[in-house]
Amino acid sequence: MTRAQLAELINVNPQTVGALERGDHYPSLDLAFRICDVFGLPVEAVFSRKPFAPLSTELYARNDRAQGGAHVRHEQ
Amino acid sequence: MSATNSEPTILDRYEDFRTRRFLRHEETYANALPRWRTQHRRRMLVVGIGASLGLMACVSVVCAFGFRQAALLWVPATLVFFPMWLMLQIVLGRQGDAPRRTLDEFELQQRNNARSIGLVVTQNLMLLPIGYLIIASTTMRDVDAKAALDMAYAGGLMTLAVLMIGGCLPAMILGWTRRSDELAT
């Protein structure tokens, strides 16, 4: 999806989408929900106070934690 | 308790009218001057406008010293100013004075910031012609009518220059700070 397409869907200027991506603008609750509606995702999946880690990192970290947890449970 | 769905007031109706008129005009010029929609070109326009406004301010000060012919320089300054101002307004989509409903929240925030600066600058610069007129009118009690006319003329030009600077400043700030139009990526 291009910035222009997203901008049209959420009824803002493409410059505003760029500003959101760069972190130059914090969206209002209304705009945040409009963006989430476009992607069909909850707010916490689209916006975060900290930069998102790569998906692979999160996925492998979760697998490691699961395996680690299983290992601990096995030892017990 | 007040009703939430109240009848639109005259201000609401005027705002609707302004919005419709703005959108109609904006549609005409939305894709005009595509090469001037980069930040570099916009900044060139802002510099040109700033130079012409600076020349107007200088002319008004020179006139205060009795050189009325200096006012002729106002004409070329105006001839430079108007085309550049129109171009800047077109490439900015008249963000500086667009009706509220035609801007999104980020554009509104940018515009409010720019207008706030413009208002402060106008208020402060306006003290200069006011001070000049007050001080000159109290110290030049025994001058002839020509000198008094020069003072009033120069004061009028100074006020006009300051109002133009303050009025144009929000659009100039937006033109300077706004990034190049985003590519569809």
Side-chain angles (χ1 to χ4, degrees):
Chain A
M1 181 184 286
T2 65
R3 281 178 188 153
Q5 286 169 333
L6 176 61
E8 198 175 339
L9 288 170
I10 58 176
N11 197 24
V12 297
N13 191 307
Q15 293 247 351
T16 302
V17 176
L20 288 166
E21 286 176 353
R22 291 189 301 273
D24 289 347
H25 176 60
Y26 293 105
S28 66
L29 199 56
D30 178 56
L31 179 57
F33 279 128
R34 272 188 275 155
I35 295 168
C36 293
D37 278 347
V38 169
F39 294 112
L41 291 167
V43 171
E44 62 271 21
V46 181
F47 296 100
S48 170
R49 288 189 180 279
K50 291 178 288 185
F52 286 111
L55 195 59
S56 56
T57 311
E58 289 197 11
L59 191 66
Y60 284 115
R62 198 179 301 159
N63 285 344
D64 287 348
R65 275 200 303 275
Q67 284 170 4
H71 183 63
V72 170
R73 279 196 295 275
H74 180 69
E75 282 179 347
Q76 287 172 345
Chain B
M1 288 178 71
S2 62
T4 51
N5 292 326
S6 55
E7 287 288 311
T9 63
I10 189 168
L11 281 177
D12 295 331
R13 289 200 297 274
Y14 177 66
E15 188 68 14
D16 284 344
F17 164 74
R18 264 191 79 209
T19 304
R20 283 196 303 274
R21 187 180 58 184
F22 176 86
L23 289 174
R24 204 168 52 242
H25 289 167
E26 181 55 22
E27 201 175 339
T28 311
Y29 300 107
N31 299 313
L33 305 171
R35 290 185 179 180
W36 287 87
R37 291 174 184 267
T38 62
Q39 191 178 47
H40 178 68
R41 290 282 182 99
R42 283 197 191 106
R43 286 185 172 182
M44 284 170 60
L45 289 173
V46 171
V47 169
I49 291 167
S52 60
L53 291 173
L55 179 58
M56 290 177 192
C58 290
V59 166
S60 66
V61 173
V62 173
C63 283
F65 291 101
F67 300 103
R68 291 197 99 186
Q69 290 80 3
L72 290 173
L73 284 173
W74 194 280
V75 178
T78 309
L79 290 177
V80 171
F81 170 81
F82 271 111
M84 293 188 127
W85 175 247
L86 286 175
M87 286 172 74
L88 184 65
Q89 288 284 69
I90 287 170
V91 297
L92 269 180
R94 283 178 60 201
Q95 190 183 348
D97 57 356
R100 186 174 49 83
R101 290 175 201 165
T102 61
L103 301 177
D104 64 42
E105 60 184 46
F106 179 58
E107 291 172 314
L108 265 180
Q109 183 187 319
Q110 284 183 314
R111 195 199 37 198
N112 288 344
N113 291 342
R115 279 186 170 179
S116 172
I117 295 168
L119 180 64
V120 171
V121 170
T122 309
Q123 285 173 331
N124 287 307
L125 283 182
M126 194 53 89
L127 294 175
L128 296 174
I130 290 170
Y132 165 72
L133 286 171
I134 291 173
I135 293 168
S137 60
T138 52
T139 55
M140 296 168 66
R141 283 184 175 278
D142 300 324
V143 295
D144 57 1
K146 185 179 174 299
L149 281 174
D150 285 345
M151 181 191 71
Y153 189 75
L157 286 184
M158 281 182 202
T159 308
L160 184 58
V162 167
L163 280 180
M164 286 184 73
I165 290 169
C168 296
L169 200 57
M172 289 168 73
I173 291 169
L174 292 170
W176 188 269
T177 55
R178 188 163 164 178
R179 288 166 175 258
S180 300
D181 280 358
E182 306 278 345
L183 298 172
T185 52

